[in-house]
């Protein structure tokens, strides 16, 4: 894959040279601490997505209790993802100074504390504020986790390692929605989000006990001029700009679909109960598989090929979901989920591999774009659903997928015109 699209670059901000075989002291699969590291960050991913999207499957119930529309209730999701998007860069700067593990631990501690307060929100406004604070706290996880892996794991294993973290995201998103769906059906949405808070506490404790101390971290500066210079360098890299846009567009699809799907499935012609709607999110297991196998997909197709495949799979799922047949709608969700998580794992790992310096900031900018896409998708998808039904939400998603394909195609054409092949390690 070429520097013009989503691979490594030889310019400023590109991946540093890999040490000769046998001299790289970073962790490899099967090496000391690799399993503990993978499990710890997998659990961090579970907690992050379970908390971040804990209200998404419950929006119809929240609408009913507070007497608000789907687009108004969707702010309980958009506020959390928006808070994360706004604070991920400052939190990444703190991780450069105080360490990845320290910042991730503190972020989880605050987020799970707020999670235990969410069930007591007296109004929609208070709920939105708590969710925004929770999202801001969670901002310390994604970028720091990717920077930690880029520093502690050998490059050849990086896509797989980050894929496992993303797989934890999918398990967290799935378990959070399934649990909240069934618990809410019996005891209401407040008890259900409280259960998610307790689950997140358990994940946070296990994460801190399991995660090995970093061996390759070097503290950076908190000086604003240094931070701004790093950010300016990343934003000036066309490789990273493409990846940021791709992450945002993939998440626009995902955020819109899963914010609105509960409304569609509880209404006619399906009329499913809340517990069954929550179980629909078991399709996240497909995302777990597609994210964790993203490294092999890149090995076979290259990064650009993997992104084309992920975009095409997502688009096919969106079109299938337009039918009035529940099995076909479910198949559509399976394809959307598989395409999204594969594309996200490929793009996010490419960011970590591309940046040699300021990795936390590079990942933070990706996460910021990613969660801006989530907030935009949640809001735009809900508004489109209100005006044009499910077809409107699908239309928003298809436009985003078209953007992914167009950006990847531009990179492909630029690489061909420059005569640049896929760089080493892309396959």
């Amino acid at each position: 894959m070429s520097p013009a699209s989503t691979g490594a670059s030889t310019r400023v901000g590109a991946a540093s040279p890999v040490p000769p075989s046998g001299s790289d002291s970073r962790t490899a699969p099967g090496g000391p601490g690799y399993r503990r590291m993978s499990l710890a960050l997998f659990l961090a991913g579970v907690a992050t997505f379970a908390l971040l999207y804990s209200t998404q499957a419950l929006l119809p119930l929240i609408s009913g209790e507070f007497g608000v529309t789907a687009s108004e209730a969707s702010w309980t999701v958009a506020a959390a993802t928006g808070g994360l998007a706004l604070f991920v860069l400052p939190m990444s700067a703190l991780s450069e100074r105080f360490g990845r593990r320290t910042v991730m631990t503190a972020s989880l501690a605050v987020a799970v504390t707020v999670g235990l307060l969410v069930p007591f929100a007296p109004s929609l406004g208070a709920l939105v504020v708590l969710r925004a604070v929770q999202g801001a706290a969670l901002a310390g996880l994604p970028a720091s986790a990717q920077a930690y892996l880029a520093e502690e794991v050998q490059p050849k294993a990086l896509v797989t390692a980050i894929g496992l973290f993303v797989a934890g995201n999918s398990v967290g998103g799935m378990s959070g929605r399934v649990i909240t769906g069934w618990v809410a059906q019996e005891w209401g949405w407040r008890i259900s989000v409280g259960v998610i808070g307790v689950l997140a506490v358990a994940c946070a404790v296990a994460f801190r006990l399991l995660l090995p101390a970093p061996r390759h971290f070097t503290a950076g500066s908190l000086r604003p001029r240094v931070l701004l210079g790093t950010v300016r360098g990343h934003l000036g890299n066309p490789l990273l700009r493409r990846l940021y846009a791709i992450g945002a567009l993939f998440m626009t699809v995902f955020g819109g679909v899963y914010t609105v799907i509960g409304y569609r499935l509880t209404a006619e012609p399906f009329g499913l109960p809340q517990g069954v709607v929550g179980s629909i999110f078991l399709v996240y297991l497909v995302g777990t598989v597609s994210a964790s196998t993203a490294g092999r997909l890149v090995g076979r197709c290259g990064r650009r090929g993997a992104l084309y495949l992920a975009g095409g799979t997502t688009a096919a799922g969106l079109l299938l979901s337009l039918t009035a047949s529940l099995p076909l709608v479910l198949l559509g969700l399976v394809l959307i989920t598989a395409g999204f998580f594969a594309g996200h794992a490929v793009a996010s790992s490419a960011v970590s591999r591309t940046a040699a310096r300021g990795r936390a900031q590079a990942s933070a900018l990706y996460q910021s774009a990613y969660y801006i896409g989530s907030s935009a998708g949640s809001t735009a998808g809900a508004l489109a659903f209100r005006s044009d039904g499910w077809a409107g939400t699908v239309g928003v998603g298809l436009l985003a997928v078209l953007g992914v394909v167009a950006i990847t195609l531009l990179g492909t054409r630029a690489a061909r015109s420059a005569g640049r092949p896929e760089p080493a390690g892309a396959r």
Side-chain angles (χ1 to χ4, degrees):
M1 173 174 165
S2 76
S5 57
T6 56
S9 173
T10 57
R11 290 174 292 179
V12 175
S16 56
V18 179
S21 177
S23 67
D24 194 342
S25 62
R26 287 174 289 184
T27 302
Y34 183 81
R35 290 184 179 178
R36 288 184 59 197
M37 177 190 301
S38 298
L39 179 57
L41 290 171
F42 178 87
L43 291 173
V46 170
T48 299
F49 255 47
L51 289 171
L52 194 63
Y53 294 99
S54 59
T55 63
Q56 194 172 56
L58 305 172
L59 294 181
L61 297 180
I62 293 173
S63 289
E65 176 170 332
F66 294 121
V68 297
T69 64
S71 58
E72 290 171 322
S74 71
W75 278 104
T76 65
V77 178
T81 54
L84 193 154
L86 288 174
F87 280 85
V88 68
L89 187 57
M91 294 294 275
S92 74
L94 292 178
S95 84
E96 292 281 6
R97 179 65 182 85
F98 299 108
R100 320 301 186 195
R101 189 169 69 160
T102 299
V103 170
M104 287 189 285
T105 301
S107 293
L108 270 180
V110 174
V112 298
T113 300
V114 176
L116 297 176
L117 298 176
V118 165
F120 303 100
S123 64
L124 179 65
L127 178 59
V128 169
V129 169
L130 284 172
R131 295 282 292 146
V133 172
Q134 192 172 51
L138 287 170
L141 262 296
S144 297
Q146 292 188 29
Y148 176 94
L149 288 170
E151 291 163 353
E152 304 298 325
V153 176
Q154 291 183 11
K156 64 182 180 181
L158 185 58
V159 176
T160 299
I162 290 181
L164 288 172
F165 174 67
V166 174
N169 294 168
S170 71
V171 170
M174 176 203 69
S175 59
R177 291 161 171 90
V178 172
I179 291 170
T180 56
W182 285 107
V183 173
Q185 184 170 302
E186 297 296 328
W187 295 288
W189 70 268
R190 294 179 184 274
I191 297 296
S192 66
V193 293
V195 169
I196 294 301
V198 172
L199 170 66
V201 169
C203 288
V205 171
F207 161 80
R208 187 61 181 83
L209 293 175
L210 288 169
L211 189 69
R215 295 184 300 156
H216 299 88
F217 170 74
T218 302
S221 172
L222 275 177
R223 289 180 296 172
R225 178 178 294 182
V226 174
L227 176 61
L228 289 174
T230 301
V231 170
R232 198 178 299 117
H234 291 327
L235 291 178
N237 187 329
L239 281 167
L240 293 176
R241 288 202 304 268
R242 293 176 194 272
L243 290 167
Y244 299 154
I246 286 171
L249 290 168
F250 265 124
M251 196 53 166
T252 297
V253 181
F254 201 68
V257 165
Y258 279 101
T259 293
V260 173
I261 192 64
Y263 290 97
R264 188 185 186 206
L265 295 179
T266 54
E268 295 301 329
F270 306 113
L272 300 181
Q274 187 65 45
V276 175
V277 170
S279 297
I280 296 299
F281 291 93
L282 284 169
V283 298
Y284 265 49
L285 289 172
V286 176
T288 304
V289 174
S290 68
S292 59
T293 58
R296 278 180 283 175
L297 181 63
V298 170
R300 292 184 177 182
C301 307
R303 290 197 186 96
R304 293 193 302 270
L307 288 172
Y308 285 130
L309 183 59
T313 301
T314 303
L318 287 167
L319 293 173
L320 269 180
S321 73
L322 287 168
T323 68
S325 166
L326 184 58
L328 290 180
V329 170
L330 295 180
L331 178 58
L333 290 176
V334 166
L335 294 177
I336 291 167
T337 304
F340 163 73
F341 276 106
H344 171 40
V346 171
S348 60
S349 63
V351 169
S352 296
R353 188 177 177 86
T354 298
R357 294 174 297 172
R359 284 193 177 99
Q361 280 75 48
S363 294
L365 288 168
Y366 175 85
Q367 295 293 332
S368 182
Y370 175 80
Y371 286 108
I372 286 172
S374 178
S375 295
S378 297
T379 303
L383 289 172
F385 181 77
R386 184 179 179 182
S387 61
D388 299 308
W390 182 250
T393 303
V394 168
V396 171
L398 289 173
L399 284 174
V401 171
L402 183 62
V404 169
V405 173
I407 291 169
T408 309
L409 181 61
L410 286 174
T412 302
R413 288 180 173 175
R416 287 175 177 172
S417 64
R420 291 188 294 257
E422 291 268 358
R427 290 191 179 275

